[in-house]
Amino acid sequence: MVRRIQKAAVLGSGVMGSGIAAHLANIGIPTMLLDIVPKNLSDKDAAKGWTMEHPSFRNQFSENALKKLLKQKPAPLTVKGNLSLITPGNLEDDLESLKDCDWIIEVVVENLDVKKQVFEKIEPFRKEGSIISSNTSGISIEAMKEGRSEDFRKHFLGTHFFNPPRYLKLLEVIPTGETDPEVLSFMKEFGEDVLGKGVVLAKDTPNFIANRIGTYGLLVTVQEMLKGGYSVGEVDSITGPAIGRPKSATFRTLDVVGLDTFAHVAKNVYDQVDGDEKNVYDQVDGDEKNVFEIPAFIQTMLEKGWYGSKSGQGFYLKQGKEILELDPETLEYGPRKKLKTASTELSRNEKGLNNKMKALVYAKDRAGSLLWNILSPVLLYSAELHGEIADDIVAIDQAMKWGFGWEKGPFETWDAIGVERSVSLMKEEGLNVPVWVDQMLEAGFTTFYSEDESGQRSFYHEGSYRAEEKNPKHISLKQLKKQGKVIKKNTGASLIDIGDGVALLEFHSQNNAIGLDILQMINSSVDEVEKNYKGLVIGNQGKNFCVGANLAMILMEAQDDVYELDMVVRHFQSAMMKIKYSSKPVVAAPFGMTLGGGSEVCLPAARIQATMETYMGLVEAGVGLIPGGGGNKELYMKHLQDLPNGVDFDLQKVANKVFETIAMAKVSTSGDEARENNFLNKRDGVSVNQDHQLYDAKQAVLALHQTGYRAPQRKKVPVVGETGYGTLLLGAQAMLHSGYISEHDLKIAKKLAYVIAGGKVPFGTEVDEQYLLDLEREAFLSLVAEPKSQQRMQHMLVKGKPLRN
């Protein structure tokens, strides 16, 4: 059967339920959000004139949840307008509407009896063949389906999202013994292709995969801190990026998650596992059950309501600008400490995460001891659970990377520090290594993963290496480069053949900042594509698409040789025009931070294929400048492109909006908001799954090629001229008088307004693009010579944040 999810229902409007509803709305699925009816009419309710039959009283929980979605940070909605796709309701009056839903997701309180009651209540109303799932973080999926009909059981499974659902990639899918294989296959594909998730198939065990291992690792770390006399800050200073973990490390992570939530997850495992004979747990003071017992000082924190960020204090407390750390013995706060040893200094100077971790883990000092005593139990625990919580090591590694933000999963970490060396040390210490790991080493397999010359990765499984499967929509640039698909390259960028007659230009300078080397490759790549390829994608798989032009180079040239900088800006503008007027389609694929020059590269492209998490903005005003590579002109023209032909429109309003967007250095908070800000138009696309973005961009190139793409015709641009310039400045001058901006901000605004207005010409004059580029370049060069602009650039380079002067 051809299955589609056209409408969904979320049962339970708490933070998680409303977050899932928001994510469904973000991808365009109309969703019902249902909760229970309040038991009593409050005085506030009565004051509003409500009765117990009033719809607003009965839908109170879900309606309040929708209001909270608009205030939460980070924002669950990509744009506020998506809220209209969520319909609030309740679990008494709106059950009949479930017959229209293709997917019903239960997200009520973590109580098996309550969940079973909800399923019993909704079953008469769901349509046959609709999928039902539970978002439980660890309650048995098998136990939930007891007493349900055969059709219900066939279409029932667990779908465990991680919070917040919009941002965290992991989706654990947990089938029961009766789940129809077709349903399981559909949900995996739907989860990846439509929901944009990294889907991992988990087994129906306590807390599934990520929370089971992640919680274990956090509790082992707490135990080791207490045992070794380390402070909260010392632990966090080396359990973050130093070992490929998020900056929040251990205790900051617990503060963000919430100590109450963490304790609930730990208790779930504690209640469901036995104090057993698995000796692998002996190294951490007893069996598995004991590890999941909440330490006494954390119990006290819970009693005091010190849950972390949401309660204002937890392991850390912010006082003014200072962040204090908790002493677990006295429960008093003091200055935050960092662990500094010979190995931490050595690790800092090593290149690559593998070498950094080896320098720390095997060190015979306090840092090395702490990390070894934290990592070795987690590696052994993961190996012990292999086969019990997941079918293979890949699922475990992916779950930890996608759910907890680890750069390397447990088995990848084991490979990084050396399996043979670490196992030898574990045995020296009397630790019990799982039999299958010993057998792997004895058979001559010294790593959990191997990679062949073509970049194909395989993983160890039951006596041999098995090729790792990946979604065909995932294009790996690393693998293509290993396969010799690089057409040409220089220090800043590479041109890569990604198949089917499409080439890709990858930036790989530091922070993907644009310098002369990248500009040279843009020109060279367009020439190559025009001769030999169907089209070009500009994209990469770094941390961010592009943070802008090379600011250090601009500042150095500004202080040394403005003539040289003039030539650089001309080269930049010329390269952007080359993208725009290429005879073959160019599709830009921005993601993450796409700032300043990064946005300027995208705006002239034939199409933009962004992601849900694309943050676009022309932010040059923050460093005392305006865009110099054509960004002002292109954003203005992008606004004009979507205006209907033959219909009168207010040109001044267009100029006002572009001026405000650039002057305020507005950055979109999503791909959808980038469209609202006119960085994207109706023809541009947004990929929900970032792993599929390059594939989607490639398909856009092929579609343009197949429909006979021709380069756009050069057209003159109507501008608001001298009178429009005055209008643009009115708002800026009002902000100066109100104290919102400085004199230098006003100077920048005047330069920007002059460029957007098209200079001293009559309103409605049509000018050519080169005229606007010349205005832009002159304004940029005059601002870059300003001492206050140079101060702003210097401050950004040193401090990483804007200076207001």
Side-chain angles (χ1 to χ4, degrees):
M1 65 178 290
V2 177
R3 189 181 286 278
R4 293 182 67 195
I5 305 268
Q6 294 180 295
K7 186 177 181 181
V10 176
L11 315 181
S13 65
V15 171
M16 197 69 196
S18 59
I20 292 170
H23 187 64
L24 294 174
N26 288 337
I27 57 178
I29 297 177
T31 302
M32 296 176 61
L33 182 62
L34 309 183
D35 212 317
I36 60 172
V37 174
K39 291 181 180 178
N40 301 302
L41 196 70
S42 70
D43 292 341
K44 282 186 178 180
D45 297 336
K48 295 174 185 174
W50 292 353
T51 66
M52 294 196 63
E53 302 307 313
H54 195 286
S56 292
F57 168 75
R58 300 179 70 77
N59 296 339
Q60 190 174 152
F61 292 134
S62 53
E63 287 184 353
N64 285 342
L66 296 191
K67 292 173 186 174
K68 289 177 183 176
L69 286 178
L70 296 174
K71 299 176 183 177
Q72 283 177 33
K73 297 209 181 297
L77 296 163
T78 55
V79 287
K80 291 181 179 180
N82 289 344
L83 196 69
S84 64
L85 285 169
I86 307 174
T87 304
N90 66 73
L91 286 164
E92 290 182 18
D93 306 325
D94 300 295
L95 293 177
E96 191 68 36
S97 299
L98 295 177
K99 70 179 187 301
D100 300 324
C101 297
D102 305 297
W103 182 19
I104 301 169
I105 314 157
E106 171 273 310
V107 202
V108 302
V109 64
E110 287 287 80
N111 179 293
L112 178 60
D113 290 336
V114 173
K115 290 177 184 294
K116 289 174 74 172
Q117 288 167 18
V118 168
F119 291 135
E120 182 178 5
K121 191 171 191 173
I122 68 167
E123 178 159 17
F125 299 95
R126 64 169 282 267
K127 67 180 175 184
E128 191 171 310
S130 62
I131 294 172
I132 319 97
S133 69
S134 172
N135 184 65
T136 178
S137 60
I139 293 177
S140 171
I141 306 297
E142 288 282 351
M144 286 186 212
K145 68 180 176 62
E146 290 174 2
R148 303 279 60 79
S149 68
E150 182 184 358
D151 186 76
F152 187 108
R153 298 197 306 272
K154 281 173 60 179
H155 295 87
F156 180 67
L157 70 169
T159 50
H160 181 213
F161 288 82
F162 274 62
N163 195 32
R166 170 183 162 185
Y167 299 96
L168 283 188
K169 186 173 179 178
L170 180 61
L171 174 62
E172 291 177 322
V173 173
I174 311 99
T176 73
E178 294 182 78
T179 304
D180 188 328
E182 179 270 327
V183 170
L184 179 61
S185 176
F186 169 79
M187 285 306 292
K188 185 176 189 306
E189 184 178 343
F190 176 79
E192 292 175 350
D193 293 355
V194 182
L195 297 177
K197 296 299 176 188
V199 177
V200 168
L201 299 184
K203 296 193 175 184
D204 191 13
T205 55
N207 284 14
F208 313 125
I209 301 173
N211 277 342
R212 179 81 168 268
I213 292 173
T215 306
Y216 178 88
L218 288 166
L219 284 165
V220 165
T221 303
V222 172
Q223 289 187 9
E224 191 57 35
M225 174 186 73
L226 297 173
K227 195 191 308 180
Y230 299 92
S231 82
V232 163
E234 285 179 329
V235 172
D236 272 0
S237 69
I238 63 164
T239 57
I243 58 170
R245 306 281 175 82
K247 287 182 181 178
S248 54
T250 301
F251 295 104
R252 177 70 186 127
T253 296
L254 287 172
D255 273 356
V256 171
V257 168
L259 213 54
D260 50 343
T261 302
F262 170 71
H264 171 80
V265 173
K267 186 176 184 299
N268 190 51
V269 180
Y270 181 84
D271 289 342
Q272 293 189 60
V273 300
D274 298 323
D276 57 31
E277 70 285 351
K278 290 181 181 176
N279 294 329
V280 68
Y281 309 123
D282 290 349
Q283 64 212 280
V284 281
D285 297 336
D287 59 29
E288 182 180 19
K289 194 175 185 75
N290 288 343
V291 175
F292 283 93
E293 187 171 3
I294 299 295
F297 86 95
I298 294 182
Q299 290 285 9
T300 305
M301 291 173 69
L302 290 166
E303 291 163 11
K304 288 176 175 286
W306 296 356
Y307 299 141
S309 302
K310 61 186 172 187
S311 65
Q313 69 184 104
F315 290 102
Y316 292 101
L317 173 67
K318 189 172 183 181
Q319 283 191 348
K321 292 186 177 180
E322 189 179 8
I323 297 174
L324 305 177
E325 64 173 54
L326 182 73
D327 183 327
E329 290 191 8
T330 65
L331 291 187
E332 294 177 352
Y333 291 92
R336 188 165 46 168
K337 305 183 188 76
K338 286 188 176 181
L339 191 56
K340 290 187 178 180
T341 66
S343 66
T344 60
E345 294 306 306
L346 177 62
S347 173
R348 190 175 288 113
N349 295 323
E350 290 284 354
K351 290 191 175 179
L353 181 58
N354 291 9
N355 292 328
K356 289 179 182 292
M357 284 201 291
K358 285 176 187 173
L360 286 167
V361 170
Y362 295 118
K364 302 300 181 184
D365 60 21
R366 287 189 80 226
S369 176
L370 174 64
L371 280 181
W372 174 256
N373 291 337
I374 288 171
L375 278 180
S376 58
V378 173
L379 301 183
L380 291 170
Y381 187 64
S382 301
E384 190 71 33
L385 291 176
H386 169 247
E388 179 184 330
I389 61 174
D391 285 330
D392 55 55
I393 64 171
V394 177
I396 293 174
D397 278 348
Q398 287 176 334
M400 298 317 299
K401 289 190 290 185
W402 295 339
F404 276 73
W406 293 10
E407 193 170 327
K408 293 180 182 289
F411 297 98
E412 292 170 329
T413 298
W414 213 335
D415 276 352
I417 66 171
V419 182
E420 290 179 295
R421 182 180 179 184
S422 59
V423 166
S424 175
L425 185 54
M426 288 168 181
K427 289 184 174 180
E428 283 178 25
E429 295 181 353
L431 303 180
N432 200 33
V433 176
V435 173
W436 72 269
V437 177
D438 267 337
Q439 290 174 340
M440 181 185 88
L441 292 172
E442 287 167 5
F445 299 97
T446 58
T447 57
F448 292 101
Y449 292 93
S450 72
E451 197 172 279
D452 64 22
E453 292 179 357
S454 72
Q456 171 65 53
R457 194 167 84 148
S458 299
F459 63 96
Y460 180 80
H461 188 76
E462 296 180 350
S464 64
Y465 283 127
R466 178 183 295 182
E468 188 177 343
E469 293 181 13
K470 69 175 184 180
N471 191 305
K473 292 183 180 178
H474 181 203
I475 293 173
S476 169
L477 297 183
K478 179 184 174 185
Q479 193 167 338
L480 288 170
K481 286 188 277 189
K482 281 206 166 194
Q483 293 169 2
K485 299 294 185 181
V486 175
I487 303 163
K488 56 175 68 177
K489 66 181 289 188
N490 66 15
T491 54
S494 296
L495 185 65
I496 304 165
D497 186 336
I498 59 173
D500 299 316
V502 180
L504 178 139
L505 178 60
E506 176 200 32
F507 298 169
H508 47 60
S509 60
Q510 186 173 0
N511 293 322
N512 290 341
I514 299 169
L516 286 171
D517 48 2
I518 286 180
L519 296 178
Q520 186 272 322
M521 276 299 293
I522 289 173
N523 287 313
S524 177
S525 296
V526 172
D527 287 341
E528 176 69 27
V529 166
E530 286 186 321
K531 290 175 190 171
N532 299 313
Y533 290 85
K534 295 175 182 176
L536 175 69
V537 172
I538 301 177
N540 62 76
Q541 292 173 325
K543 185 178 178 182
N544 294 296
F545 175 75
C546 176
V547 297
N550 187 329
L551 191 60
M553 180 268 290
I554 291 172
L555 179 59
M556 184 175 66
E557 295 290 357
Q559 294 172 337
D560 184 45
D561 188 349
V562 175
Y563 175 76
E564 184 73 28
L565 189 56
D566 178 71
M567 293 306 298
V568 171
V569 177
R570 288 175 188 271
H571 281 310
F572 199 155
Q573 292 182 344
S574 174
M576 299 307 99
M577 292 292 275
K578 187 118 178 172
I579 289 172
K580 183 170 186 174
Y581 292 107
S582 166
S583 63
K584 300 290 179 68
V586 177
V587 175
F591 63 93
M593 294 298 178
T594 303
L595 305 177
S599 290
E600 289 185 289
V601 167
C602 298
L603 287 168
R607 293 286 185 277
I608 298 174
Q609 183 67 39
T611 68
M612 182 178 279
E613 305 308 330
T614 295
Y615 312 120
M616 294 185 81
L618 295 167
V619 297
E620 286 83 355
V623 289
L625 305 172
I626 69 166
N632 308 284
K633 166 185 70 76
E634 288 298 337
L635 186 61
Y636 181 66
M637 292 183 73
K638 195 104 176 179
H639 279 65
L640 294 177
Q641 277 174 11
D642 280 345
L643 297 173
N645 290 328
V647 176
D648 286 338
F649 61 88
D650 191 335
L651 191 62
Q652 185 67 56
K653 284 186 177 179
V654 175
N656 291 350
K657 186 173 182 187
V658 175
F659 174 74
E660 181 184 315
T661 300
I662 301 173
M664 304 288 286
K666 287 186 178 180
V667 177
S668 69
T669 59
S670 67
D672 289 337
E673 190 169 273
R675 196 187 306 279
E676 286 192 349
N677 292 343
N678 284 89
F679 284 97
L680 310 184
N681 61 26
K682 293 173 184 176
R683 295 178 293 278
D684 297 323
V686 174
S687 298
V688 181
N689 191 329
Q690 188 173 313
D691 288 346
H692 300 175
Q693 183 192 22
L694 297 184
Y695 172 88
D696 294 339
K698 176 180 169 181
Q699 298 312 304
V701 167
L702 292 172
L704 288 167
H705 169 78
Q706 287 159 9
T707 52
Y709 179 80
R710 291 179 184 274
Q713 296 295 308
R714 294 176 185 255
K715 295 180 181 177
K716 291 202 169 185
V717 186
V719 293
V720 294
E722 196 165 8
T723 56
Y725 169 69
T727 303
L728 291 175
L729 280 189
L730 283 175
Q733 288 169 334
M735 291 181 77
L736 175 70
H737 296 317
S738 302
Y740 287 110
I741 64 173
S742 67
E743 289 281 357
H744 192 57
D745 290 324
L746 182 62
K747 182 174 285 189
I748 298 165
K750 285 181 176 179
K751 297 285 185 183
L752 175 62
Y754 193 77
V755 172
I756 300 294
K760 294 183 177 181
V761 296
F763 185 97
T765 300
E766 293 190 344
V767 299
D768 62 37
E769 288 184 75
Q770 190 57 51
Y771 169 79
L772 290 174
L773 286 174
D774 291 342
L775 288 181
E776 188 169 311
R777 189 181 69 258
E778 290 161 10
F780 178 88
L781 291 171
S782 69
L783 284 170
V784 86
E786 290 278 346
K788 287 191 175 182
S789 288
Q790 293 182 9
Q791 288 169 13
R792 290 190 179 191
M793 287 186 272
Q794 181 76 34
H795 191 271
M796 178 62 74
L797 288 166
V798 174
K799 302 286 188 180
K801 55 186 178 182
L803 170 69
R804 297 301 304 275
N805 60 353

